[in-house]
Amino acid sequence: MKNKMSFPLQEGEARPSRCPDNSAFKQQKLPAWKPQLTIATVLSGFFLIGAFCLAAGVCLILSAKSVREIQIDYSDKCSDCSKLRENSSNWNKECHCSINFTLEEDILDDVFMYYGLQNFYQNHRRYVISRSDAQLLGRNVNIKKSYCAPFTTYQNGTPMAPCGAIANSMFNDTIELFYNLNSSTIQVPLLKTGNSWWTDKNVKFRNPKSYNLSSAFAGTARPPYWQKPVYLLDEEDERNSGYINDDFIIWMRVSAFATFRNLYRRVRRIGQFVNGLPAGNYTFRISYNFPVTRFKGRKHVILSTVVWSGGSNPFLGIAYVVTGTAATLTGFVITAIHLKLRKKKTYFQKQ
């Protein structure tokens, strides 16, 4: 490695200065405010923060408790279907079960239906990255070079659409809700679109461009655990099929915890359900397709309302209460220490 050549300064030539310019900014002479941490300002800060966090926490907890929610575990109630689904050779056989329940009071306003999974870990690194975002944008990509392995292609070379472990494990139970009024049974109208995030639906997911969906996905095959190809996810509405299907989009946003819930449907407020769900007898009819016994999981279906702070989740309120309590206790401890030291100082001054 050659050394850089240095040239001596000529006679009378000044050495260039490396000092910063003599400006207020570069010389750090701009006006600034430095807080004076007196005992009064410190204690008032702790007590104000404590009071604010306690008030906000109480409001959030009360708000979460005002949410109307009913949760039904159907893992054991559909035990026959569960045994059928544990045998993978029965993938093409249908199995249905019904669960009756009663609403003692009306559930007013918007009612949301969720499916919940317990002991299903989506936070493993290999699982989280097992997807192709380029493929989900409708681009023609070589998924063999993606992180989708081993769910990339079949032995004959046919690529999977969509690829990856997340898509392959998509929740595929079908849940319907019926209202039992006297001797008649009324199906509760449910909305299956408009449930995903706008950015996901319009930015992160796209179908391949073609004159129809079946030709757009020509030359591809469904994932191994799916019962039908991606372009038939919603046979009634092509605008909700393929990669832009709401159920698929919601499933692709993985959870950080082993127990989670995903939005499945919303009650359409028309007819007898214009104000929500009236009190009475109801029935869930479930087409059981998603096995959970092998990983000791549980499945739930949840009906819930929402409030200004969200759903029935008191965690944020509890966190605020804990933070406010800690800040208030710290303020009292500092006050006690200050009074004790001030008494000692006064005592020694008198001596």
Side-chain angles (χ1 to χ4, degrees):
M1 187 174 179
K2 297 182 179 180
N3 295 326
K4 293 182 179 180
M5 298 181 63
S6 59
F7 299 93
L9 295 174
Q10 300 296 328
E11 184 176 354
E13 184 179 357
R15 184 180 297 276
S17 174
R18 301 182 64 183
C19 296
D21 296 338
N22 189 20
S23 63
F25 177 76
K26 292 188 176 181
Q27 295 295 334
Q28 299 183 10
K29 294 180 180 179
L30 291 173
W33 174 75
K34 183 178 180 181
Q36 300 294 327
L37 297 179
T38 63
I39 188 64
T41 57
V42 172
L43 289 179
S44 60
F46 273 106
F47 286 122
L48 286 175
I49 293 173
F52 171 78
C53 290
L54 286 173
V58 171
C59 291
L60 289 170
I61 291 174
L62 293 177
S63 176
K65 286 186 176 181
S66 66
V67 173
R68 292 292 310 281
E69 179 176 299
I70 178 172
Q71 178 172 312
I72 297 175
D73 187 329
Y74 65 95
S75 306
D76 298 330
K77 295 180 180 180
C78 299
S79 57
D80 293 338
C81 292
S82 178
K83 293 177 182 178
L84 180 71
R85 285 288 172 255
E86 291 308 318
N87 188 347
S88 59
S89 62
N90 297 325
W91 67 271
N92 59 343
K93 296 180 180 179
E94 293 186 359
C95 189
H96 302 270
C97 61
S98 298
I99 302 170
N100 299 319
F101 66 97
T102 302
L103 288 182
E104 302 295 340
E105 299 177 357
D106 296 345
I107 300 182
L108 303 177
D109 299 327
D110 293 328
V111 182
F112 299 83
M113 180 187 294
Y114 300 84
Y115 62 84
L117 289 177
Q118 184 177 339
N119 207 37
F120 189 91
Y121 289 85
Q122 289 189 310
N123 54 6
H124 192 281
R125 188 184 69 87
R126 291 287 300 276
Y127 182 89
V128 171
I129 66 175
S130 185
R131 59 187 291 165
S132 173
D133 291 322
Q135 183 195 46
L136 297 176
L137 282 170
R139 299 173 184 171
N140 187 14
V141 295
N142 183 7
I143 59 174
K144 290 184 178 180
K145 296 182 180 180
S146 67
Y147 293 105
C148 288
F151 302 102
T152 52
T153 60
Y154 287 93
Q155 292 182 353
N156 60 1
T158 305
M160 298 179 189
C163 69
I166 306 176
N168 184 59
S169 61
M170 177 181 169
F171 182 86
N172 57 351
D173 282 1
T174 302
I175 307 172
E176 295 176 321
L177 180 60
F178 292 87
Y179 178 42
N180 304 317
L181 181 62
N182 299 327
S183 58
S184 60
T185 300
I186 304 171
Q187 184 171 4
V188 179
L190 301 174
L191 295 171
K192 56 185 175 182
T193 57
N195 299 323
S196 59
W197 292 12
W198 186 92
T199 51
D200 288 348
K201 184 83 170 183
N202 297 277
V203 178
K204 296 184 178 181
F205 292 83
R206 287 282 189 277
N207 284 327
K209 294 182 178 180
S210 184
Y211 62 91
N212 60 36
L213 275 182
S214 59
S215 62
F217 291 97
T220 64
R222 59 176 176 82
Y225 291 172
W226 284 29
Q227 295 176 328
K228 52 187 176 182
V230 65
Y231 57 86
L232 293 178
L233 284 179
D234 190 345
E235 300 180 44
E236 299 175 355
D237 186 2
E238 191 174 279
R239 295 171 299 177
N240 187 44
S241 198
Y243 295 150
I244 58 173
N245 176 261
D246 273 42
D247 292 337
F248 173 70
I249 292 173
I250 291 172
W251 178 259
M252 293 300 291
R253 183 176 287 278
V254 297
S255 172
F257 302 99
T259 299
F260 62 92
R261 63 175 63 178
N262 284 336
L263 181 60
Y264 181 67
R265 295 289 184 267
R266 291 176 294 128
V267 174
R268 187 179 181 187
R269 298 176 63 177
I270 58 172
Q272 291 178 299
F273 311 100
V274 67
N275 296 320
L277 292 179
N281 298 320
Y282 289 83
T283 300
F284 281 124
R285 291 184 185 175
I286 300 170
S287 176
Y288 197 105
N289 299 306
F290 194 85
V292 296
T293 305
R294 289 191 176 182
F295 58 86
K296 299 180 181 180
R298 311 288 299 180
K299 291 194 293 186
H300 306 83
V301 58
I302 304 113
L303 293 174
S304 176
T305 59
V306 295
V307 290
W308 62 269
S309 61
S312 178
N313 188 358
F315 173 79
L316 186 60
I318 294 173
Y320 267 102
V321 169
V322 171
T323 303
T325 303
T328 305
L329 289 177
T330 303
F332 281 118
V333 170
I334 294 176
T335 303
I337 294 174
H338 171 69
L339 294 176
K340 185 176 181 180
L341 293 177
R342 189 171 65 176
K343 288 181 179 179
K344 285 186 177 181
K345 184 178 180 181
T346 305
Y347 173 77
F348 285 116
Q349 288 177 348
K350 291 181 178 180
Q351 295 295 324

